[in-house]
Amino acid sequence: MLTFQQKIEILNSYPQLQRKDVSLGRVNYHYEESLHDKKTVAFHLHPNGNGYVYAGLVKGYEADAKGFVNIREFSEEELRTLLEASIASLSEPQVRALPAGGKKAKRLAAETSWINGEGQKLTLKAEDDLWYLYSGLSLEMAFETPDEAKEYLAEEGFSQTQG
């Protein structure tokens, strides 16, 4: 496991990232040139070794509901690979995806609301052939198909609201 200082040194080696000190000795790193709403690449790096890197647009990582991967046990090579993938994903405009067969998907509903047992509310919106999941005004995730979005929401304990 890398120490907090080693992780900071690795993140500092990326000139496109800006360090932001936050509460309790934690540190975030932002990518201000992001072409997406998301600008935070590294989140809550803590002196105890814990921390997260955004991988919401990167395939192959097990991310939390907000798209972050815990990097506590990452090696330097693993951390650098994830950081470079994260920055690259935020540097590219969202690609318009077409379903299999190349035909545009029929839109079910342009916008649906979802809620979980804790009262958290999310909105799923169809825009530009993709499905975006929002918490208030914040983009949480993007999906290629409505079925993919609905499967994710069900796994996370959300159900569609009426009306």
Side-chain angles (χ1 to χ4, degrees):
M1 177 175 98
L2 296 169
T3 66
F4 174 71
Q5 191 56 42
Q6 289 170 319
K7 289 175 184 168
I8 293 295
E9 288 172 14
I10 291 168
L11 282 150
N12 284 342
S13 73
Y14 291 88
Q16 63 270 52
L17 298 178
Q18 286 81 44
R19 178 179 172 151
K20 308 276 184 178
D21 293 331
V22 292
S23 62
L24 304 173
R26 297 176 297 188
V27 179
N28 291 350
Y29 281 82
H30 291 213
Y31 178 48
E32 298 298 333
E33 312 307 314
S34 175
L35 297 178
H36 300 265
D37 289 340
K38 178 64 73 183
K39 296 211 184 296
T40 304
V41 171
F43 179 69
H44 283 183
L45 292 172
H46 192 277
N48 70 9
N50 211 15
Y52 303 88
V53 170
Y54 182 69
L57 301 171
V58 179
K59 293 188 189 233
Y61 289 93
E62 194 170 316
D64 66 16
K66 293 186 177 184
F68 286 94
V69 172
N70 189 305
I71 59 164
R72 183 178 186 86
E73 302 295 327
F74 274 39
S75 68
E76 179 176 353
E77 182 180 339
E78 291 169 323
L79 178 56
R80 286 188 181 279
T81 299
L82 176 56
L83 286 168
E84 288 162 15
S86 179
I87 293 166
S89 75
L90 295 171
S91 299
E92 298 172 4
Q94 198 76 28
V95 176
R96 288 185 175 191
L98 291 177
K103 295 180 181 175
K104 290 192 176 188
K106 287 185 181 177
R107 300 213 189 266
L108 298 179
E111 183 175 317
T112 56
S113 297
W114 297 75
I115 192 165
N116 69 6
E118 298 172 6
Q120 295 170 312
K121 296 178 184 176
L122 298 176
T123 304
L124 183 62
K125 292 182 182 180
E127 300 172 2
D128 299 326
D129 296 322
L130 289 173
W131 296 82
Y132 295 96
L133 187 61
Y134 292 93
S135 174
L137 297 175
S138 298
L139 176 64
E140 296 296 321
M141 296 188 81
F143 302 92
E144 292 183 357
T145 67
D147 291 338
E148 183 183 353
K150 289 177 183 178
E151 181 180 335
Y152 169 80
L153 286 160
E155 287 173 1
E156 295 297 319
F158 285 83
S159 57
Q160 191 171 351
T161 62
Q162 301 300 319

